[in-house]
């Protein structure tokens, strides 16, 4: 995920883009003890890349697969690019093939 943050901030700086981080969890954040640590880590990594202002969306799975949620967010926000680390793909069981096929923008999947 560090690599995803570094790549995203580099691309956003180069093209003058905004960043929106989407966090997908299976449980409400109140029942996820590492939630605050995760948010602090995201903020720190993006600030290291020069971004202190960015959008943050938190979505509960609510029975939906993360692949579908990413697609919905890409549609809702009319994203130009989705950047994912392979760590996120593996840990959230994201189907990279479905993403590439159904998301209306390019998808950049970064190796571990």
């Amino acid at each position: 995920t560090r690599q995803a943050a570094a790549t995203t901030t580099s691309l956003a700086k180069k093209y003058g883009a905004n960043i929106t981080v989407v966090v997908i969890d299976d449980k409400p954040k109140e029942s996820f003890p590492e939630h605050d640590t995760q948010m602090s880590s995201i903020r720190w990594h993006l600030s290291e890349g020069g971004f202190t202002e960015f959008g943050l969306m938190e979505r509960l799975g609510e029975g939906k697969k993360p692949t579908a949620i990413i697609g919905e967010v890409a549609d809702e926000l009319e994203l130009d690019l989705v950047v994912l680390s392979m760590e996120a793909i593996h840990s959230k069981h994201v189907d990279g093939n479905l993403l590439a096929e159904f998301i209306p923008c390019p998808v950049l999947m970064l190796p571990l």
Side-chain angles (χ1 to χ4, degrees):
T1 304
R2 283 187 297 267
Q3 184 180 13
T7 300
T8 300
T9 55
S10 176
L11 288 169
K13 273 196 237 178
K14 181 175 182 174
Y15 295 104
N18 295 319
I19 296 174
T20 300
V21 176
V22 180
V23 177
I24 302 170
D25 287 317
D26 297 328
K27 302 176 274 185
K29 60 184 174 186
E30 295 79 23
S31 63
F32 184 56
E34 297 87 19
H35 180 268
D36 290 339
T37 304
Q38 182 183 29
M39 294 299 107
S40 293
S41 177
I42 290 168
R43 284 184 190 88
W44 185 84
H45 284 294
L46 292 178
S47 70
E48 283 292 297
F51 280 81
T52 55
E53 298 291 323
F54 57 91
L56 177 64
M57 295 181 75
E58 296 185 70
R59 293 283 178 106
L60 278 179
E62 297 175 340
K64 289 184 185 175
K65 295 191 180 282
T67 307
I69 294 170
I70 294 167
E72 289 171 2
V73 170
D75 281 340
E76 286 171 22
L77 298 179
E78 299 177 355
L79 298 180
D80 296 316
L81 176 67
V82 171
V83 178
L84 293 164
S85 68
M86 290 307 291
E87 177 185 350
I89 289 173
H90 292 304
S91 69
K92 299 294 182 181
H93 306 288
V94 173
D95 187 329
N97 291 326
L98 284 176
L99 279 179
E101 191 172 338
F102 294 110
I103 287 190
C105 65
V107 178
L108 178 59
M109 292 185 258
L110 300 169
L112 292 173

